[in-house]
Amino acid sequence: MEHPDSSAPLLAGTCLAFTPVSAQRRRAGGWTPEIQLCFIRALEAMGSVGRAAKAVGMGRRSAYRLRERPGAEDFAAAWDRALSMGRMRQFDYAMDRALNGVTTVRILRGGAIGVTGGPDMDIVRASLREDAAPLKATKDTF
């Protein structure tokens, strides 16, 4: 990925546009503008701070520390929007599985094939539990 100007908004032209948090010090494996961009995109896709941080090779706690830095207000606002969008995506996915069901194919001993179908109630329950709880930007519960 190219190294964008750190003062230029990332994801420009989208509702997730933000100005990256400037580095307090340069270090390998830190929160570069590229990592921040990938984190926001992963957060929008996954709806989970922990999963998004892991996807970009960073820790959940370090993500929260980045969010709390002075000058991170734009990043924090993009985080909130991305988290909301990601959780809505996960809820939609769960409802699709609830309405349309899930087909599971198992190969049993002796070569027999077992096919079962029905809703994936674990994901439905998790999604309903998350939808009922108020979203908090400082807590990752999904």
Side-chain angles (χ1 to χ4, degrees):
M1 183 178 258
E2 294 177 16
H3 294 281
D5 175 12
S6 63
S7 64
L10 300 177
L11 296 170
T14 72
C15 66
L16 297 176
F18 71 98
T19 302
V21 182
S22 60
Q24 291 177 330
R25 58 193 153 167
R26 285 274 184 227
R27 53 179 251 189
W31 282 97
T32 64
E34 294 87 3
I35 296 291
Q36 293 176 47
L37 167 74
C38 291
F39 172 77
I40 293 296
R41 293 181 69 200
L43 194 55
E44 188 267 334
M46 299 175 183
S48 165
V49 175
R51 289 182 198 161
K54 186 176 181 178
V56 299
M58 302 301 279
R60 183 176 178 271
R61 276 201 256 166
S62 89
Y64 280 102
R65 283 193 303 267
L66 177 68
R67 179 188 168 95
E68 296 302 318
R69 278 190 203 165
E73 296 80 15
D74 207 28
F75 174 74
W79 171 319
D80 291 342
R81 290 187 301 270
L83 184 61
S84 178
M85 292 168 70
R87 288 185 174 171
M88 286 173 30
R89 180 187 315 275
Q90 294 301 317
F91 181 80
D92 290 345
Y93 178 65
M95 289 301 102
D96 179 61
R97 292 183 80 161
L99 295 172
N100 299 316
V102 178
T103 302
T104 305
V105 178
R106 291 191 178 97
I107 299 179
L108 308 171
R109 289 186 183 164
I113 298 175
V115 179
T116 58
D120 183 343
M121 293 310 293
D122 290 336
I123 197 166
V124 171
R125 281 188 208 99
S127 199
L128 289 172
R129 193 170 44 245
E130 284 305 313
D131 188 53
L135 296 178
K136 294 182 181 176
T138 58
K139 188 169 182 183
D140 181 29
T141 57
F142 197 80

